[in-house]
Amino acid sequence: MMEKKSPHILNASSNLLGFSLIIITSLKITKMSEHTHLDEFAGLACILFACSCFFSFLAIRTQNEKRETKYETIADYLFLIALFCVVLAVIIVTIKIL
């Protein structure tokens, strides 16, 4: 039997959701959001991380093993896509700084 990834996905997603919200807040405070697509990537990452949290929580709570696997897979893919959005945001910030 494969080790359950849902608790790890939930932990990482919730932490990175907070990080993405800090990015959006700092962009609004510095008024940098008008000049880049950074806030769009961070906003999309927030939505995807929140959905990943939701599905990983469902995977932890369900008693049905088939549903657990399905929810965990969805959470995993949402997490990966959100992580890609954060990487794009970091690339944009790096390009802006340089």
Side-chain angles (χ1 to χ4, degrees):
M1 178 87 187
M2 207 167 71
E3 182 187 342
K4 305 287 185 223
K5 295 183 288 182
S6 297
H8 303 293
I9 296 169
L10 181 58
N11 184 27
S13 290
S14 60
N15 286 327
L16 288 170
L17 174 60
F19 175 72
S20 300
L21 288 170
I22 289 171
I23 291 173
I24 292 172
T25 304
S26 63
L27 286 172
K28 297 298 178 185
I29 290 171
T30 61
K31 303 207 181 347
M32 190 177 155
S33 61
E34 296 103 34
H35 308 296
T36 65
H37 293 289
L38 187 54
D39 57 334
E40 283 90 353
F41 285 121
L44 180 59
C46 283
I47 292 168
L48 293 170
F49 281 133
C51 291
S52 180
C53 287
F54 177 72
F55 280 104
S56 59
F57 180 77
L58 287 178
I60 291 167
R61 298 295 296 175
T62 189
Q63 299 298 316
N64 184 318
E65 196 165 318
K66 190 173 181 176
R67 257 190 259 154
E68 179 184 357
T69 304
K70 181 181 173 184
Y71 291 152
E72 189 173 90
T73 303
I74 292 169
D76 207 14
Y77 283 116
L78 289 170
F79 179 81
L80 183 63
I81 296 166
L83 199 57
F84 181 71
C85 289
V86 170
V87 169
L88 287 176
V90 168
I91 291 170
I92 291 170
V93 167
T94 305
I95 289 171
K96 277 293 209 188
I97 292 173
L98 298 176

